[in-house]
Every structure is written in structure tokens, then in C-alpha cells.
Amino acid sequence: DATSIPIGTAIDNVRLYVLDASLRPVPAGVPGELFISGMGVARGYLNQPALTADRFLPDPFNDLPGSRMYRSGDLVMVNNDGQLIFLDRLDHQVKIRGFRIELGEIENQIKSNSQVKDALVMAFGSKDKKLAAWVVPANAESFDKNTLIFDLHKTLPDYMVPGVVMALDAFPLTANGKIDRNALPKPEAQRRPFVKAETEQEQQLADIWQEVLQVEAVGIHDNFFDLGGHSLSIVQVQNKIREQLEKEVNIVDLFRYPTINALAKFMAGGSNGKETIEKSQDRASKAKDAAARAAQMRARVQRRKS
């Protein structure tokens, strides 16, 4: 009746601990992180002292001087038979803007999109972490990452939508067939060549983006979401366009035109959000009046018949 195959128990000369966040043992049936101690534990990572210090910790349950335990990153629990059950990877949980999220949940949403064949999501950045997605498109020629981001905003909260999306022909693989995450292109390297603003309106929009996104420079072909933009900051951009440029732009249009160049051309084309709303309201008002006149006409006809 088990939902997954147990990992089993420790081999000879190896100790397995299931610990909570405070490195205290948890009872059977309670999830915790798997730590490995004993003769099979390595001394550390070659030429990576910071990673070694993070993963190889002093073993508080072993009296042998200098003994250490390895933090596996596996979320497990012990069943009633003493067998270890694997539940998930703890490094698939990240904290973005104060929210703890599951990267697998985002990957599933991306994979459900008709444009995508496969997807991988990871967090990047040392302080202010951001999400990046690497996708293998179902059709590379027709793939549109801006449409994908727009669709994700319909099903995911803002903090779970990746700010960077990179399309790949295929994922790089290790010798044993797993995705080689270290070989993936770096999110920071995806920014397009810088092209400065050419018109007054492009410069005004670039200044607004710089202020909202807190970046040093914005090129007219830079993508708002690639620079770390999200739905909260896009509302700030909308407000500043209204205040500084005295123009009304719909949120939907800001999603549709995520570069300075595209947005400036859209705004210069006379497509004004305020005008669109006013025209819609005018059409609705006329339709309402026409419906009212038709209702009055039917009422008069009915009275004559009676």
C-alpha cells in the first residue's frame, strides 16, 4: 500500500539521522531532513570551502572527535517499520519576497502551457532572489515567452511567476542522464545589448523603469520582467505614466508590450487606455439607451393590444 518505494536503512558503518530545522531528531512519521554520518562521509567539496561548511556539519550524536554529518537536502520520514521514505528535495523550496514556494508547482504550471514541452525553474541571486525558468518549447519558431509569462499571471500569484524565461533546444544532461543544472545558461547573461532611448517618450519611460526597478540603466529593448519586474511594480509604472506623462495605459497593455521600444510605439500610435475606456463606456451608454427605447416601444405596443 506504500505510495513510494522506501529508501531502506543505513548500510554498515553509516548513521542516518532525520532532523528538524534545529537539528533535533524527529519521531517516526514526522518529516525531516536526512543527515548522513559515519565512515562513508566524504571530507568535503574540493576547493569549495563555503559549500563544505554549509553541507558538512559537526555530528552532535557521535562522540568521536572531528566526526561530521552530511546535510543531504532530502526531505524524508521514517515509517513504522524503520524504513526511510523519500518525500521531496528541500532545495526545491525557496523563499521569494517572504513567501515559501515549491518550484515543482511552478514547473507543472509551465509544462501545462501548450507552448512548452518541458520546463525547469530555479531561484537565482544572493540577496533578493528571483525566479528563472528554462523551457524546451513545443515549437521553437512560434514560442513567445511574453505570452507564456502573461498566461502564468492568470494561474499563479505574482511572486511565483518567473521574471526570466529562457528557451533551449534541449536541457544539458549529466553522464547519468539527469539535468545538468550547472551547465544551464546564467539568467544574468540573458540581457539584450544595451540600446539607449532615441525619442523623448522612450527616455521618459526609461526613467520611470529605472526608478521603479532600481536599475542603473534601461535599454529600449530590455524586457521589463527580465529586469525583475512583477505585477506590483507594473502598477507603479502605470501610476507614474499617468502622473508624469499624463497618459492612461491599461495593465494588460503593459504586459503585452514589455519593452520600452514596444510600449513607446504602442503609446505613440494613439492607443490610449483612457480613450479606449471612454469609447467603451460611450458604446455601452448608447447600447443601454437603445435597449431602453426598445423596451418603451414594446410596452406601448403591448398597451395598444390590450
Side-chain angles (χ1 to χ4, degrees):
D1 297 330
T3 57
S4 63
I5 300 174
I7 296 175
T9 57
I11 62 175
D12 292 344
N13 298 321
V14 172
R15 297 182 181 185
L16 301 180
Y17 310 129
V18 183
L19 311 179
D20 63 15
S22 301
L23 302 183
R24 296 173 299 190
V26 298
V30 176
E33 184 173 2
L34 176 63
F35 287 77
I36 305 171
S37 178
M39 297 298 293
V41 176
R43 298 175 61 182
Y45 289 99
L46 180 64
N47 298 327
Q48 298 188 61
L51 186 58
T52 296
D54 178 65
R55 289 292 181 175
F56 292 85
L57 308 179
D59 185 354
F61 312 104
N62 195 330
D63 296 331
L64 185 66
S67 60
R68 291 187 293 176
M69 59 183 183
Y70 174 70
R71 179 193 296 269
S72 72
D74 288 338
L75 183 68
V76 302
M77 71 176 184
V78 178
N79 64 14
N80 293 330
D81 297 328
Q83 300 280 323
L84 280 171
I85 305 295
F86 174 81
L87 301 176
D88 200 357
R89 281 290 301 174
L90 288 172
D91 55 11
H92 288 175
Q93 293 182 344
V94 296
K95 210 167 191 179
I96 303 292
R97 288 160 46 193
F99 297 95
R100 185 164 294 281
I101 61 178
E102 292 279 355
L103 297 180
E105 184 178 351
I106 304 174
E107 291 174 354
N108 290 336
Q109 285 293 329
I110 297 176
K111 291 176 184 178
S112 67
N113 191 284
S114 59
Q115 290 196 88
V116 178
K117 180 180 179 181
D118 202 359
L120 175 69
V121 177
M122 291 194 298
F124 69 97
S126 56
K127 294 182 179 179
D128 183 17
K129 286 189 175 297
K130 296 180 176 63
L131 293 174
W134 292 261
V135 301
V136 177
N139 187 328
E141 294 182 358
S142 61
F143 176 72
D144 184 351
K145 69 175 182 179
N146 294 327
T147 301
L148 174 61
I149 293 174
F150 183 76
D151 290 341
L152 290 176
H153 275 283
K154 299 177 183 177
T155 56
L156 292 174
D158 166 68
Y159 59 86
M160 293 179 68
V161 177
V164 179
V165 175
M166 285 163 286
L168 304 174
D169 294 334
F171 289 133
L173 302 177
T174 62
N176 58 4
K178 294 183 179 181
I179 296 177
D180 188 351
R181 295 173 180 244
N182 294 326
L184 291 168
K186 301 299 181 185
E188 296 87 348
Q190 296 302 307
R191 188 167 176 176
R192 298 181 182 183
F194 178 80
V195 178
K196 68 179 182 178
E198 297 178 351
T199 66
E200 181 182 359
Q201 184 160 264
E202 286 181 346
Q203 186 59 57
Q204 290 172 326
L205 291 173
D207 292 340
I208 291 174
W209 283 25
Q210 283 181 245
E211 182 181 353
V212 171
L213 298 175
Q214 296 294 299
V215 294
E216 293 183 1
V218 176
I220 62 173
H221 297 302
D222 288 335
N223 188 290
F224 183 82
F225 302 103
D226 288 353
L227 298 178
H230 45 73
S231 61
L232 180 59
S233 55
I234 213 166
V235 171
Q236 294 176 320
V237 168
Q238 182 194 38
N239 291 334
K240 290 186 179 297
I241 290 176
R242 182 188 302 117
E243 296 169 0
Q244 299 178 21
L245 306 187
E246 297 183 348
K247 292 189 177 182
E248 196 74 35
V249 180
N250 291 327
I251 290 292
V252 173
D253 291 327
L254 291 175
F255 276 108
R256 286 176 177 168
Y257 305 100
T259 68
I260 294 291
N261 180 257
L263 182 58
K265 287 181 178 178
F266 167 74
M267 294 172 61
S271 298
N272 187 294
K274 185 176 181 181
E275 294 173 1
T276 302
I277 293 171
E278 289 175 350
K279 289 179 181 178
S280 298
Q281 290 174 342
D282 184 53
R283 287 195 298 269
S285 178
K286 290 179 180 178
K288 185 177 179 181
D289 291 342
R293 288 194 297 270
Q296 291 173 358
M297 182 66 72
R298 286 194 297 270
R300 284 197 297 268
V301 172
Q302 187 65 32
R303 283 198 298 269
R304 288 172 184 172
K305 289 182 178 179
S306 60

